[in-house]
Amino acid sequence: LSLYSSPARETKYVEDPQTQLEEGVSRLRHVMEPYTAWCQQMLRLTFEAGASSSSALCSDFFSEGCEFLQNPPAGFYPRLGVIGFAGIVGLFLARGSKIKKLVYPAGLMGIGASMYYPQQAVAIAKVAGTQVYDWSLQGYIAVESLWKDN
């Protein structure tokens, strides 16, 4: 045996198999990639515009948002956590159809938000109620006009 040579080691790199969570996150990232690219492009165009009014509005909106997140009201983050957790629970409950995947998370998040912000929920419900009433009335008028024409 030579003192200066060592036997060749046979090493092989083996990747760990992906878990279901990693696969789900990967699928979500691939699905959302066109939308995030579009948002990045829009933000880049908005900030390149400089001193135009739309970028000033956008800049004000983001600066106010950053200030709010730096100095949130008491209990904001726990409330946000509960509302977000309700959305995640909705995603787990919404197995099957795509409509369930839209309705359950949004519904549970809406219920969670209405528990913490009841006055705003009432205001939104009033506006939504009048809007639904207007739409139903327009639909009734359209059906009635079609019925009378025939």
Side-chain angles (χ1 to χ4, degrees), residues 4-133:
Y4 299 107
S5 65
S6 62
R9 295 183 186 167
E10 292 185 24
T11 58
K12 185 178 180 182
Y13 175 74
V14 178
E15 285 191 27
D16 292 332
Q18 284 189 336
T19 63
Q20 287 182 342
L21 177 64
E22 290 173 334
E23 289 176 12
V25 170
S26 176
R27 273 185 273 153
L28 179 67
R29 289 182 70 197
H30 286 295
V31 168
M32 296 301 294
E33 189 173 17
Y35 303 110
T36 56
W38 179 80
C39 287
Q40 287 175 352
Q41 181 182 8
M42 294 306 292
L43 284 173
R44 188 179 313 115
L45 290 175
T46 301
F47 288 120
E48 285 176 357
S52 69
S53 63
S54 64
S55 69
L57 282 173
C58 192
S59 174
D60 291 343
F61 177 75
F62 285 122
S63 65
E64 287 176 10
C66 288
E67 287 177 17
F68 180 79
L69 290 176
Q70 287 172 352
N71 301 317
F76 174 73
Y77 287 122
R79 290 176 181 180
L80 185 65
V82 169
I83 294 168
F85 183 72
I88 292 171
V89 168
L91 282 175
F92 283 117
L93 293 176
R95 296 185 184 209
S97 73
K98 292 182 181 181
I99 294 174
K100 284 184 185 178
K101 289 181 182 179
L102 290 174
V103 172
Y104 283 18
L108 288 177
M109 287 175 71
I111 290 170
S114 66
M115 287 190 320
Y116 288 118
Y117 304 104
Q119 293 159 340
Q120 290 87 346
V122 168
I124 291 171
K126 285 181 181 177
V127 171
T130 57
Q131 196 73 296
V132 168
Y133 177 74

Side-chain angles (χ1 to χ4, degrees), residues 128-148:
T130 57
Q131 196 73 296
V132 168
Y133 177 74
D134 290 342
W135 289 341
S136 64
L137 193 60
Q138 290 174 359
Y140 177 76
I141 291 170
V143 168
E144 187 180 38
S145 67
L146 287 173
W147 187 266
K148 285 183 179 178

